[in-house]
Amino acid sequence: MTQVKRVYSFGGKTAEGKADMKNLLGGKGANLAEMCLLGLPVPAGFTITTETCNDYYADGCKLPADLLTQVWDAMKKVESDMGMKYDDTENPLLLSCRSGARSSMPGMMDTVLNIGLSSKTIPGLLKKTNNPRFVYDSYRRLIMMYADVVMEKAEGVELPGDGIRKQLDNMLDLFKKSKGYQTDTDMTADDLKQLSENFKKKVQEVLGKAFPDDAKEQLIGGIMAVFKSWNGKKAVSYRRIEGIPDAWGTAVNVQSMVFGNMGDSSATGVAFTRNPATGDNIFYGEWLVNAQGEDVVAGIRTPNPLNDDTKNEQNKHLHSMQEAIPTTYKELDAIRATLEKNYKDMLDIEFTIQDNKLYMLQCRVGKRTGTAALNMAMDMLKEGIINEETVVMRVDPAQLDELLHPIIDPASEAKVEPIVKGLPAGPGASVGRVVFTSEDAVAWERKGEKVILVREETNPEDVEGMRAAQGILTARGGMTSHAALVARGWGKSCIVGAGALHVDVVGKIAKVTGTNIVIKEGDILTLNGTKGHAYNVALELMDATENPRFQAFMTIVDKHRKMGVRTNADTPADAKIARDFGAEGIGLFRTEHMFYGEGSEQALFLLRKMILSNTLEERVAALNDLSVFVKKDMKATMLAMDTCPVTFRLLDPPLHEFVPQSAEKQAELAKALGISAEAIAKRGEALHESNPMMGHRGVRLGVTYPEVSEMQVRAIFESAAELLKEGHHPKPEIMVPVTCDVSELEFTKKIVDRVYTEVLAKFGIKEIHYLYGTMIEIPRACLLADRMAKTAQFFSFGTNDLTQMTFGFSRDDIGGFMNHYLDNRLLAADPFQTIDQDGVGQLIQFGVERGRATRSDLKVGICGEQGGDPASVDFCYRSGLNYVSCSPFRVPIARLSAAQSTIRHSKKK
Amino acid sequence: MTQVKRVYSFGGKTAEGKADMKNLLGGKGANLAEMCLLGLPVPAGFTITTETCNDYYADGCKLPADLLTQVWDAMKKVESDMGMKYDDTENPLLLSCRSGARSSMPGMMDTVLNIGLSSKTIPGLLKKTNNPRFVYDSYRRLIMMYADVVMEKAEGVELPGDGIRKQLDNMLDLFKKSKGYQTDTDMTADDLKQLSENFKKKVQEVLGKAFPDDAKEQLIGGIMAVFKSWNGKKAVSYRRIEGIPDAWGTAVNVQSMVFGNMGDSSATGVAFTRNPATGDNIFYGEWLVNAQGEDVVAGIRTPNPLNDDTKNEQNKHLHSMQEAIPTTYKELDAIRATLEKNYKDMLDIEFTIQDNKLYMLQCRVGKRTGTAALNMAMDMLKEGIINEETVVMRVDPAQLDELLHPIIDPASEAKVEPIVKGLPAGPGASVGRVVFTSEDAVAWERKGEKVILVREETNPEDVEGMRAAQGILTARGGMTSHAALVARGWGKSCIVGAGALHVDVVGKIAKVTGTNIVIKEGDILTLNGTKGHAYNVALELMDATENPRFQAFMTIVDKHRKMGVRTNADTPADAKIARDFGAEGIGLFRTEHMFYGEGSEQALFLLRKMILSNTLEERVAALNDLSVFVKKDMKATMLAMDTCPVTFRLLDPPLHEFVPQSAEKQAELAKALGISAEAIAKRGEALHESNPMMGHRGVRLGVTYPEVSEMQVRAIFESAAELLKEGHHPKPEIMVPVTCDVSELEFTKKIVDRVYTEVLAKFGIKEIHYLYGTMIEIPRACLLADRMAKTAQFFSFGTNDLTQMTFGFSRDDIGGFMNHYLDNRLLAADPFQTIDQDGVGQLIQFGVERGRATRSDLKVGICGEQGGDPASVDFCYRSGLNYVSCSPFRVPIARLSAAQSTIRHSKKK
């Protein structure tokens, strides 16, 4: 049997892995290897594969038998590269043990640092460094981390009260208090030595076993703990939000420790090779002298700027790295160039300087705002780094949404003063009510509230609350803090490091230093994430102004797009907006729209008159009056979309929706119609249904009241005829909703044919270019699509209803259980947000295949709300649809998604 | 090109067709040919094929070009056989022109008699017969029929007032009145000649064209009219009820006329080779001297008995054929034997005697009651005529229903006197409100009323009303009248020839001669169709007493059955009934049943307490109390079904159903629970759903309230454990409803596994034989059946919900449009009555195939209400289901259907 290679070494400008081995080595491991291959200074180490993680779980959480041999073999290389030995009495090597999944899950899994310190190795390290304070500080940190991550969490120990970490933290605080110390740095080497001993006793007492005093045992524990943390609560929750499969697993990176906290000649930093918020081609980062990497990311101290380009209001008084250690800065800047050239993308890097020596600890493709993504892509195209296909792939469709996101109306913003300022960590604006915990954010959002999450600082536990919030405001942290990274990734407006803010999470209150401003739970806040300003009023939001680079980008997108994009629009105004956004027609015009909302009174009155008619004659008379209104909107919409197809869906909702419910309104209507209120109440009752979603609606109305279909069809043809006469090019498409059998289409087609002939005669024209088709939204219509296509010239999948019927989920009623389904991972995603490709997808594919088997040129589209969801668009592309149709504001997203699908799937061929 | 053979001759003891050519020649044509081949006296003629009918419609209602050549060729054979010539001046042949579909559609299509009479042929016929009265009577009948059937109906002429037939009838009446005649027979030859001339003028005047005086034109018109009548309103309506495909078409039988009305040596009759009501092996029929066949069927005159065996209270005073013309009777009786030997079945025959010569005009397999079908089949098995498979196939499953139909409780019937007596035309009893028209019957039935249709006599226009009625009572007609035939075919109780009844259809009233009894619309009537007695009170009905031949029959049925039959039962009592009816287990036990109806108060109270609990603890406490009730029914049901599987469905309906609606009931409950009425109202409101059918129900309740599933699962296992301890053999099956994803099954399985282990431990037993499975009632579950079967050991198709979701039809709401769909033939049948094999059927087949692909021994059944519908049972058999489950009273029907499927499909192999 060939041995499975589980361990990949890196270090000393060589490596067994490389950047494209992410699936096996995780992103971190692959990139560490790549940096070695690029000759960059990386502390030596090795990566244990993601497959090993899966094997670990498959075997009931046991490390594979062949793993450790490979680990100790790899260790020899590390020792040789670093010139130190693990578990050595003279020159001991210390290690870090970190997770690394295929795709970055910042802060979601566990890390153990300083592994290898024991009674055996400490004397040698003391001797070698001659820095007992550093040694014992490292030791007490190891104990704290190890006890928490390995001994408690990974073992699944459930302590009755506080966790071990918290208990040790309390001990630390008490110790400092007893000594009258203010900060950690006041503690002496002896203090820390003493504390370490106390910690070990506490660990034994609380967890019932000793902190391992064996370097090998420590490392094995660390590896297992990283594997365990793949299924930790935070990681699982993050994967669910991000749609990361559970089966990917995490790699483990075991790497030699280097220390940024060994004094003033040591430092640590985080940087982006370009500005991740704007996309500007400047080196952008933060650093801290005498600190460990965690200190920057955690946002505990406001870090120094990397260089002049990174200076801002909050940090301009601090020394930049460029100023403080120009030689090392230059070395770093050269690495920046090497990395961009190699990766052809903007990178997010972490480095440490130990005793003036620069080490690269991490590099990965950097998260960015939508604006930055678009600007960088266009720049890199210009710089000749990437081609057009790559430009298209570089912008996440969801990020376009952010580009089109609202900003605060400048006029209204000019009139008010911000109550607090911070770093502009996530651009765009948001308005909502203040909550102070992640749990509240989730709970309020589920109740339908828009919320702003206000925190002292955010940590990985806050992920779900951040997701639920419109915007995030934190008192601490820099542009690379957790809150900033996560918010930008999701395109949420976010302000961090608003230092004047003092948050009392227990009291659910925040105060602004130097003012008498108090922010209470439920108060309104408006955030300007682009400026970093927060206001305690609800300001007017408006659409982002047009970005010319956006237009240029979309031109490239369309060059690479094959599938059409239409819009769902019911008014000439919406049609206009959608056309400006690039819609190539209307995929869904809901005729009932004209009976809802402002300005609909008269049309609604006539519709009600029709519904309350007792005889066919009365009904036809009311319909004739109504026709005028119907025609007006239809004609103006076709004009706004001239030369492009407009799909008119015949009346869809149950008539019951239009009969007033309250006695008062019924009386009012009765008076207007000259009939009794009882008659109205009675009709309303007769029309009442147990399950209106599956009741008397759509084509079923047309079957029982063919005159209603006839009126609409006539309005469509007459509008088109008038436009033709006026020199325009209308392209109406008549769509019959809620069909389950071709007989319904044949029934309606007879009306269409007759009215068509009549309208041609009336207007003396020869032809109106039109199509006749159906909405496919009932499972049976998909199953019998071969028959449906005998009469229908086009299909448009109504994925909202199709999802309802396929799952048996009433969209209005899923509130009672959908959260349970998502929380318990019974469903991967809400199928009303993104097409359920497994189930509903099968029906769509039946529809396409069987429909085209009957009619090879059948036009097929989708007009459900998922039409603007990138994953759904990709599914539609793969299923061979001719177009997707979505709401006007999602048209650019659909265009980009469609182009990406074309590129993605043509690559595969 | 080979010529299509469109015309098949018969006559002179030879024929081109035969009995098994029904599809091509229609039933009538095939049997006429067969009788010729058997050497029976059949007037010569020819049959035009059903394919020609289809060609006629396909070509826009034009006779195929090659048809007439074949007709005139065939005519030569007819002329030679009959020794007469069509359209001849000396010895003219007269013809009838009748429809003949594959399956009998009595009275639904049109007929023209006496074709060939014209100014050219009349003189010759006068000379030959020397009977001018006969000739002119035949002529005026031809004009009346032809004008009606060919010139008005077939041409689609819509007259403003009365049809031509009615107008000619009025002329006849006026003519008789003007002459002071009482009956038709008072009219002289000259009268009839005069009348014929008047008729022709009227036809020209009303229809704008002349009655054709050309024999050839008359025949062509007759043929086309028969084709046309295939799509006449009556025929279409009948086909819809009987499920006869439109594409079958009708044949046309052109046959030499023979006359039963040529004087007292002529006669006509209708007979059954055995008694169609009881199955007794006696020759059973009626005849009329000097009459045409229509006179018997129309029920205008009460006919004479054929023989002693046919005598009854109404006709015992009339001469039987056996008495009147014993030689001819013997000849007919011999024909009876020949026919039964040939067809191996009971036949319905029509004959005519012209001048003492017997002619056979028709034979076909006779309609019969369920009792007769069963008795005849068992007799013929004993007689060695048929084998067991044929016995099984001989009883229509729907007829079993009739056998199990209620009869009047003899005790209550003994206490009352019938208000009127008639012929026992359709056995069994019925109770309902009186209506006097077919339209009213349909309308009242749609409102949910049970109705008895009371008519002077019924005609084919009444078919829909008869279908809608519980029972039928007519004043006129014999056992072979239209009403009697149709009612028996449908197994409806029916009394005909209740001569004392005088029906005023306009006044909607009926009087009983010699009494002061008046029956008004809406009055209650009880019919005893087995005795022929009607009562004007609602009598108690009861189940038919056990028929030992029924048991013997069902034993044969089960010998030939392969698919299992279970029942849907929720109580020990129902389980007992079903087991007596032969159920082999319970396919659906609805746990919620125990919260409905009488005796459920305490359980319902506890359920409500559970629903209104605010905390998990309160809910669990209420569930513990509830568990006692749940277990009691479960245990008793398993005991009643001991050794047979019992499928328990976990709670299915939305909780909202159990919260009282009225303020009063809410207040009552609030008091009992010690909480506020507002809390109840609020909870009720919170549970309210827009579309509860697709809402928070089934497994979704189990996901949000796992403790509810747990209680039920524990009750199932504990009941089984107790029974095991008591020495019984329980076989519980746990069925999870409304699933759409295997994750729901896995979620619930964890509870099942845990509780199973706990119960085994509690009772100290090693094993409970149980299965875990799911109801498949959501389209997605069918599509993903391969995954579902990973966890489910069995599937049970819930075709009610599956039909709802697949069609998007809410069963509670189809009232508003289903009738339109059926009336307009948009759907062939109500899919809630019989499985929609085209659409829903595909999903079922996916479910079976994909499920078994994962788990080859997956047990698959159906527990929707269609489980007792024969067509659905056949579909289930073909789809490879292991069992069907239906309501207790339909178990025998399902058993028979399943056996027939086995025989039918093994024959095909």
Side-chain angles (χ1 to χ4, degrees), chain A residues 338-355:
Chain A
T338 305
L339 285 172
E340 270 213 351
K341 197 175 153 197
N342 183 64
Y343 281 92
K344 300 177 194 302
D345 202 350
M346 184 272 276
L347 297 152
D348 164 359
I349 60 177
E350 287 178 27
F351 60 91
T352 282
I353 299 162
Q354 176 177 312
D355 269 339

Side-chain angles (χ1 to χ4, degrees), chain A residues 699-883:
Chain A
V699 70
R700 301 163 197 171
L701 291 171
V703 168
T704 49
Y705 308 111
E707 58 280 7
V708 177
S709 302
E710 175 166 345
M711 180 276 283
Q712 297 172 79
V713 169
R714 193 177 302 280
I716 293 166
F717 284 140
E718 291 199 349
S719 306
E722 288 175 11
L723 286 169
L724 277 172
K725 287 251 169 184
E726 292 159 18
H728 303 292
H729 306 84
K731 281 187 169 180
E733 302 185 341
I734 297 172
M735 180 158 75
V736 184
V738 201
T739 51
C740 68
D741 199 291
V742 68
S743 63
E744 297 165 320
L745 285 174
E746 289 163 354
F747 182 94
T748 313
K749 185 66 168 27
K750 283 185 197 152
I751 298 170
V752 171
D753 287 346
R754 178 169 53 75
V755 174
Y756 179 68
T757 313
E758 288 169 11
V759 171
L760 289 192
K762 177 175 172 185
F763 285 81
I765 50 179
K766 274 195 170 171
E767 194 190 12
I768 298 169
H769 177 91
Y770 83 99
L771 291 180
Y772 177 74
T774 184
M775 193 125 164
I776 301 278
E777 51 192 331
I778 301 282
R780 194 172 189 268
C782 297
L783 294 167
L784 298 177
D786 49 341
R787 300 188 194 171
M788 304 300 281
K790 282 187 190 156
T791 305
Q793 296 170 292
F794 69 88
F795 286 174
S796 179
F797 287 99
T799 44
N800 299 342
D801 275 5
L802 189 57
T803 300
Q804 295 200 94
M805 308 297 172
T806 307
F807 276 89
F809 283 170
S810 162
R811 195 176 180 178
D812 292 335
D813 303 316
I814 52 170
F817 56 91
M818 185 51 81
N819 289 329
H820 285 82
Y821 270 68
L822 297 175
D823 290 348
N824 287 299
R825 299 159 74 196
L826 298 180
L827 287 176
D830 178 346
F832 295 106
Q833 300 298 326
T834 188
I835 290 175
D836 161 49
Q837 299 184 21
D838 292 350
V840 176
Q842 283 192 48
L843 288 175
I844 291 176
Q845 281 165 340
F846 285 149
V848 177
E849 285 161 20
R850 296 176 181 191
R852 293 236 175 94
T854 297
R855 188 186 288 266
S856 59
D857 65 344
L858 183 78
K859 207 157 71 166
V860 186
I862 171 185
C863 61
E865 284 174 39
Q866 298 103 325
D869 164 68
S872 303
V873 171
D874 191 64
F875 173 77
C876 292
Y877 177 85
R878 282 184 280 119
S879 301
L881 264 61
N882 300 87
Y883 68 85

Side-chain angles (χ1 to χ4, degrees), chain A residues 688-696 699-700 703-704 740-741 743-744 747 778-781 783-784 787 804-810 812-813 816-817 820-821 824-827 836 838-840 842-843 846 850, chain B residues 688-696 699-700 703-704 740-741 743-744 747 778-781 783-784 787 804-810 812-813 816-817 820-821 824-827 836 838-840 842-843 846 850:
Chain A
H688 175 77
E689 296 184 310
S690 306
N691 298 285
M693 183 56 60
M694 303 197 292
H696 195 170
V699 70
R700 301 163 197 171
V703 168
T704 49
C740 68
D741 199 291
S743 63
E744 297 165 320
F747 182 94
I778 301 282
R780 194 172 189 268
L783 294 167
L784 298 177
R787 300 188 194 171
Q804 295 200 94
M805 308 297 172
T806 307
F807 276 89
F809 283 170
S810 162
D812 292 335
D813 303 316
F817 56 91
H820 285 82
Y821 270 68
N824 287 299
R825 299 159 74 196
L826 298 180
L827 287 176
D836 161 49
D838 292 350
V840 176
Q842 283 192 48
L843 288 175
F846 285 149
R850 296 176 181 191
Chain B
H688 174 79
E689 296 185 308
S690 307
N691 298 284
M693 183 55 61
M694 303 196 291
H696 196 170
V699 70
R700 300 164 198 172
V703 168
T704 50
C740 67
D741 199 288
S743 63
E744 298 165 319
F747 182 94
I778 300 281
R780 194 172 188 269
L783 295 166
L784 298 177
R787 299 187 195 173
Q804 295 200 94
M805 308 296 171
T806 308
F807 275 90
F809 283 170
S810 161
D812 292 336
D813 302 316
F817 57 89
H820 284 83
Y821 269 69
N824 286 298
R825 298 158 74 195
L826 298 181
L827 287 176
D836 161 50
D838 292 351
V840 176
Q842 284 192 48
L843 289 177
F846 285 148
R850 296 175 181 191

